[in-house]
Amino acid sequence: MSQVPSVRERRTVGLLKRLRLSRAVVNVILGLVAVFWLVPTISLLVISLRPESLFGESGWWTVFTAPSQLTWGNYTTIFSQGFAAGGVLDSLTTSLEITIPVTILVALISSLAAYSLVFGSWRGRDWIFLVIVGLMVVPLQVALIPVVQLYREMGNLFGLNPYGTIPGVIIFHVAFGLPFGIFLMRNFLTGIPKDLLEAGRIEGAGEWKIFYSIVLPLALPAIASLAIFQFIWVWNDLLVALVFLGGNVHTPLTIFLYDQTRSLAANYWIVSTGAVVSIFVPLIVFFSFQRYFVRGVLAGAVK
Amino acid sequence: MSSVTLRELTKQYAGNAGLSLDSVSLDVAHGEFICLVGPSGCGKTTALRMIAGLESVTSGEIEIGDRVVNDLAPRDRDIALVFQSYALYPHMTVFGNMSFGLKIRKVPKDEIKAAVTDAARILDLEQYLDRKPAQLSGGQRQRVALGRAIVRNPAAFLMDEPLSNLDAKLRVQTRAEIARLHHRLGATMIYVTHDQVEAMTMADRIAVINLGKLEQVGSPRELYLRPANQFVAGFIGSPSMNFVPMHVESIDGGIRVVSAGGDMDVNLDDVESAMIHRAGVSDVVLGVRPEHLDHRPRSGRGLQLSASVDVIEFLGNDEHVHLSSGSHELVAIVDARTPLTIGDTLTLSASSEAIHLFHPETGVALK
Ligand SMILES: Nc1ncnc2c1ncn2[C@@H]1O[C@H](COP(=O)(O)OP(=O)(O)OP(=O)(O)O)[C@@H](O)[C@H]1O
Ligand SMILES: [Mg+2]
């Protein structure tokens, strides 16, 4: 049975080898890039796991030769403060109190608006959409002061001034998240065949039913990416939080860390530990949402 | 009672100058299977969508059962629509797709289960109930779309070219399935297609639409044997009827029509001569179906012509022969055993019963 491989077979084998080789090269490059990206994060993690006293004495990489340096000390200190105002856990809670409602509201309102823009039949939909796209270029810092004033006016008129409160920050973030959210959702929803909605309508579904039983499930990949973007954007926001919550007792993690860095020499351990805590939450969000990034949700609908 | 009646139904889309549907009146009896046929863009889908309530009515009336439904929402019309694209919900299983409408109507769970199981059995889908549409073949998806319509037991079924996405073999198979379904359910069905074979094989009656206007309604046999005008004559039957413009001449004892170049002449019988007299025309369009052209000389009345062979399409049992006779092109169906080569001259004939005469300007069949 052992035959001399034909020219064609030999060529195939050669090609395969080359392919495998080039794949190896790609993998190495990818690995290097990953390491390059991960070094700061890993160093942060290690620093947060070393006692405060070692910071000035030796570099974090010495941990590889002396793993006994590692300790949960910083974390126990931080967490032992509990939820007292000004502590890490309190800031973590505040961050979540801002970020979660913003993410939900932006995803929900964007989907509803996009639904109406795509499947509604009212006049001027395209114009409204163009205006919304135009709003995406308005830089956030332009609006800070006018909105503060607007909030104050609201206080004068209704006795309800959102300035300095968590709802105040939430409203601001939602308003600035919507243009991109609507843009993203509209572009995704235009890919859903209209026939599906009409089929639903004939079968007796009302607009709400069509929205949440047909459109929403099909739009999950877009909603998941929007939610991740929005979550991370708001989670990392310092500017808006500083302007609207600067003097507040409860501040989000970004402000907490910012305050600590102002006296870095004394507080490096809190900064590193707090930073690790603040990375952790977006990671959880990312990994729990990524399963919705399925391609081909629409397969089999038509044709 | 679930008859469907259209009265002078007219549709003009916003922004369109012309009418997409022009004063169409049609009575579909309870339990009838009617096919709407016509060339692409003639308004078939428009008519169906108006009946379903997906398009507004410009003028006219739609009646389902004995309610005028012009202003009713689609869900209140008690109809089911099978889309050309199937429009299955991709995120739901076959069971989910078929039960969606019943769930909305708050039908008890066990009744839903029974209805879906029943439909799945009829359509041979029982083993696929847990699959998503993406995991089904085209034919299976088609059947799910049908099943979704059946389970609701609607007053009327509307179908928009439901077979056009299937391959030829599956189309024939599903065609038979739909016909069987119609017998079994005894439901009113309005079926849109541009495939006249589909219409001929399935329909109780066919409505031929052209440019938004209803040209003729009748049984397949009627449309084939007595087309009301040149459009219907050309649309029904495959290959299409041959048309030749002719000039009318009087001869002793009757009327003769002769083609422009004089290559073709027909001695008309008394009935046909009378038709021409009544119409008072000096020109006429003669129509004869390819399957009625005999490859045999004929004596007496009827059509007689000789033509040379341009193209031969072999189809197994018979051949479609494209011929030219003077400046006219014709198609004839001949037995495949006839020895023929391109360039041959054939003598063809047709009996006078096989000859149709149309008014040269209006295209209306002479009576
Ligand atoms: N939403 C619409 N807006 C404007 N014009 C339309 C619209 N839908 C259809 N038309 C026009 O109305 C006419 C009839 O269209 P329709 O879709 O009913 O044709 P059809 O007979 O179903 O054709 P086909 O066999 O290609 O499906 C066409 O001229 C088409 O351009
Ligand atoms: Mg159509």
Side-chain angles (χ1 to χ4, degrees):
Chain A
M1 282 300 283
S2 73
Q3 283 171 345
V4 183
S6 71
V7 176
R8 199 204 182 117
E9 276 172 83
R10 251 180 289 154
R11 230 183 254 151
T12 323
V13 170
L15 193 69
L16 275 178
K17 254 189 203 145
R18 246 178 304 160
L19 252 182
R20 213 170 294 151
L21 196 71
S22 67
R23 201 175 296 156
V25 172
V26 168
N27 283 343
V28 168
I29 292 174
L30 284 179
L32 283 176
V33 170
V35 168
F36 191 72
W37 274 84
L38 277 175
V39 165
T41 316
I42 291 169
S43 69
L44 188 75
L45 184 67
V46 172
I47 290 170
S48 76
L49 288 170
R50 277 161 33 113
E52 180 182 11
S53 51
L54 284 177
F55 186 66
E57 284 176 22
S58 58
W60 60 271
W61 48 89
T62 53
V63 81
F64 293 116
T65 48
S68 60
Q69 292 174 356
L70 293 180
T71 161
W72 289 110
N74 295 334
Y75 288 91
T76 30
T77 316
I78 274 184
F79 287 115
S80 65
Q81 291 174 337
F83 287 89
V88 172
L89 286 187
D90 177 56
S91 291
L92 185 75
T93 320
T94 311
S95 278
L96 288 173
E97 275 169 7
I98 296 171
T99 315
I100 291 176
V102 169
T103 308
I104 293 175
L105 283 173
V106 168
L108 189 71
I109 300 175
S110 301
S111 315
L112 281 169
Y115 177 79
S116 177
L117 283 171
V118 175
F119 300 114
S121 53
W122 42 282
R123 274 170 174 276
R125 308 198 300 285
D126 295 341
W127 282 105
I128 298 274
F129 178 63
L130 278 183
V131 170
I132 291 172
V133 172
L135 285 176
M136 287 201 304
V137 303
V138 176
L140 184 146
Q141 50 273 34
V142 168
L144 285 173
I145 306 304
V147 170
V148 170
Q149 271 188 329
L150 193 71
Y151 279 1
R152 200 167 296 144
E153 279 309 308
M154 277 175 69
N156 292 340
L157 282 176
F158 310 112
L160 235 178
N161 182 357
Y163 179 77
T165 67
I166 287 179
V169 184
I170 292 176
I171 294 171
F172 191 95
H173 276 304
V174 169
F176 270 84
L178 281 180
F180 176 71
I182 294 173
F183 173 75
L184 186 88
M185 291 310 298
R186 188 199 107 116
N187 285 354
F188 191 86
L189 292 196
T190 46
I192 296 181
K194 242 186 157 139
D195 287 1
L196 291 186
L197 282 80
E198 291 179 339
R201 226 160 261 152
I202 288 177
E203 291 200 274
E207 291 306 313
W208 278 106
K209 180 76 183 167
I210 289 175
F211 178 71
Y212 71 74
S213 322
I214 299 175
V215 174
L216 220 49
L218 294 176
L220 267 186
I223 292 177
S225 26
L226 176 61
I228 289 176
F229 273 125
Q230 194 60 46
F231 190 97
I232 291 173
W233 166 252
V234 175
W235 187 260
N236 290 334
D237 164 75
L238 175 63
L239 183 60
V240 178
L242 263 184
V243 171
F244 286 91
L245 283 180
N248 212 314
V249 212
H250 306 286
T251 56
L253 269 176
T254 45
I255 295 192
F256 171 84
L257 292 174
Y258 169 71
D259 283 345
Q260 303 306 321
T261 51
R262 283 194 290 191
S263 46
L264 182 60
N267 284 329
Y268 76 90
W269 67 273
I270 277 198
V271 175
S272 60
T273 316
V276 169
V277 172
S278 80
I279 290 174
F280 216 62
V281 176
L283 276 184
I284 294 173
V285 170
F286 184 82
F287 285 113
S288 50
F289 275 51
Q290 67 153 8
R291 70 192 182 91
Y292 295 111
F293 290 147
V294 266
R295 276 196 286 168
V297 265
L298 283 171
V302 290
K303 272 240 195 164
Chain B
M1 267 303 281
S2 47
S3 59
V4 177
T5 307
L6 311 183
R7 284 199 202 95
E8 312 213 324
L9 194 61
T10 300
K11 175 73 186 179
Q12 179 168 30
Y13 284 102
N16 281 16
L19 299 177
S20 293
L21 211 60
D22 190 354
S23 204
V24 169
S25 297
L26 184 65
D27 271 306
V28 186
H30 173 78
E32 191 175 22
F33 194 131
I34 197 152
C35 275
L36 305 185
V37 296
S40 187
C42 70
K44 307 179 294 286
T45 300
T46 303
L48 211 60
R49 289 173 57 87
M50 283 167 90
I51 300 171
L54 296 172
E55 296 292 350
S56 64
V57 173
T58 307
S59 70
E61 245 176 21
I62 303 169
E63 215 177 87
I64 299 176
D66 26 60
R67 293 184 301 170
V68 174
V69 297
N70 281 31
D71 298 321
L72 288 187
R75 62 171 158 208
D76 300 322
R77 297 190 180 196
D78 194 20
I79 42 96
L81 176 57
V82 179
F83 289 78
Q84 177 170 0
S85 63
Y86 313 154
L88 301 180
Y89 313 122
H91 56 297
M92 299 182 196
T93 59
V94 169
F95 185 90
N97 267 282
M98 288 174 44
S99 59
F100 186 71
L102 296 179
K103 273 189 200 137
I104 291 173
R105 278 157 216 258
K106 307 234 156 35
V107 174
K109 270 221 164 74
D110 45 336
E111 273 177 48
I112 294 183
K113 186 121 203 293
V116 173
T117 321
D118 207 37
R121 205 190 53 249
I122 296 175
L123 294 167
D124 203 11
L125 282 171
E126 280 160 306
Q127 64 268 49
Y128 305 117
L129 285 176
D130 295 327
R131 293 219 197 150
K132 297 269 178 73
Q135 299 161 314
L136 299 176
S137 73
Q140 290 162 345
R141 284 178 204 167
Q142 175 55 54
R143 296 208 296 270
V144 176
L146 281 175
R148 196 166 61 173
I150 296 175
V151 289
R152 284 186 29 227
N153 193 20
F157 288 87
L158 311 177
M159 309 196 188
D160 192 357
E161 310 203 19
L163 308 186
S164 60
N165 287 330
L166 303 182
D167 65 41
K169 195 171 163 206
L170 210 50
R171 200 175 312 165
V172 173
Q173 202 176 320
T174 318
R175 199 162 78 194
E177 224 155 79
I178 291 179
R180 222 174 358 225
L181 208 61
H182 175 242
H183 285 301
R184 181 170 184 149
L185 304 173
T188 311
M189 291 196 179
I190 303 181
Y191 186 106
V192 163
T193 175
H194 60 239
D195 179 351
Q196 52 102 13
V197 176
E198 238 168 62
M200 297 284 272
T201 49
M202 291 198 286
D204 295 325
R205 282 194 305 155
I206 299 177
V208 183
I209 303 177
N210 186 30
L211 300 172
K213 288 201 173 74
L214 192 60
E215 298 280 350
Q216 189 177 3
V217 190
S219 69
R221 190 173 297 273
E222 249 171 82
L223 295 198
Y224 181 80
L225 295 176
R226 286 188 297 283
N229 55 42
Q230 207 178 327
F231 178 80
V232 176
F235 195 81
I236 301 290
S238 168
S240 254
M241 186 184 278
N242 298 298
F243 296 110
V244 184
M246 306 285 249
H247 188 68
V248 180
E249 284 175 2
S250 301
I251 48 164
D252 42 289
I255 286 185
R256 196 167 86 109
V257 294
V258 186
S259 69
D263 320 279
M264 244 181 264
D265 63 75
V266 189
N267 290 327
L268 295 177
D269 63 19
D270 300 344
V271 182
E272 284 160 334
S273 306
M275 284 179 187
I276 289 185
H277 270 306
R278 267 200 298 279
V281 287
S282 57
D283 288 294
V284 75
V285 175
L286 176 139
V288 61
R289 296 195 183 276
E291 55 272 37
H292 295 152
L293 281 174
D294 276 332
H295 171 42
R296 237 177 294 140
R298 170 190 297 274
S299 54
R301 300 202 189 274
L303 167 74
Q304 184 124 323
L305 65 98
S306 59
S308 67
V309 176
D310 294 336
V311 177
I312 302 169
E313 292 169 346
F314 177 72
L315 291 168
N317 196 32
D318 43 37
E319 287 172 341
H320 293 178
V321 184
H322 296 247
L323 308 134
S324 51
S325 165
S327 56
H328 309 294
E329 300 197 339
L330 298 167
V331 179
I333 300 182
V334 301
D335 193 309
R337 283 164 301 187
T338 318
L340 277 182
T341 44
I342 291 175
D344 283 357
T345 300
L346 277 184
T347 306
L348 293 167
S349 63
S351 71
S352 57
E353 297 89 69
I355 286 170
H356 301 260
L357 296 172
F358 303 98
H359 194 282
E361 278 121 42
T362 60
V364 175
L366 299 187
K367 286 199 195 81

